[in-house]
Amino acid sequence: MVEDRPRRPQRVRVSSPRTSASAARPRGGAQEIDAQTHLGEVYMRSLLRTQLRLALTALALVGGPLAALPLIFVLAPSVATVSVLGLPLPWLLLGVVVHPVLVLVGWAYARRAAQAEQQFADLVLRS
């Protein structure tokens, strides 16, 4: 006696035609920069903006007062005739005071630039 049981449907396995495709891995910030993606450009633009801001700040701190000194001496000639410790004030300011200011601003700039680069590296490696 043949039994008329309903047949169960046959199971079919469905898979991707690309069985050799690797799973997409999130890329880190360094890979984004190396691949020159939009995100990598954003990272680099932020670093360059930070470096430009630091450079312009250092330039303003040194260049502004240094450029203003000759103007002061021309506009107020009596200031140019003042002597301090036997030295004329313009010589004292331009020959003695400027150098420690340059060294101090240069040291601060280098320190802040190193901090900015370290923060950038931490950001890129973290992402």
Side-chain angles (χ1 to χ4, degrees):
M1 199 162 128
V2 176
E3 197 174 299
D4 290 334
R5 279 192 297 188
R7 286 180 138 195
R8 287 189 349 194
Q10 187 179 13
R11 290 188 171 196
V12 177
R13 181 177 177 197
V14 178
S15 64
S16 169
R18 292 180 51 200
T19 56
S20 64
S22 63
R25 287 182 281 153
R27 298 197 299 190
Q31 291 174 337
E32 295 287 343
I33 293 169
D34 290 342
Q36 297 181 351
T37 62
H38 180 66
L39 181 59
E41 288 178 22
V42 170
Y43 281 142
M44 290 307 297
R45 234 181 291 131
S46 72
L47 175 64
L48 292 175
R49 233 186 344 256
T50 301
Q51 290 174 337
L52 179 63
R53 189 178 326 113
L54 284 171
L56 291 176
T57 302
L59 179 66
L61 287 173
V62 172
L66 197 57
L69 283 175
L71 287 175
I72 292 171
F73 298 143
V74 168
L75 297 176
S78 60
V79 174
T81 60
V82 174
S83 286
V84 177
L85 301 173
L87 290 172
L89 185 61
W91 284 44
L92 185 66
L93 291 175
L94 293 172
V96 177
V97 175
V98 167
H99 294 94
V101 171
L102 287 173
V103 169
L104 181 65
V105 170
W107 173 80
Y109 171 78
R111 186 167 180 251
R112 287 293 301 143
Q115 287 175 350
E117 289 174 9
Q118 184 60 47
Q119 289 172 351
F120 176 77
D122 292 344
L123 173 71
V124 167
L125 293 177
R126 184 179 47 198
S127 58

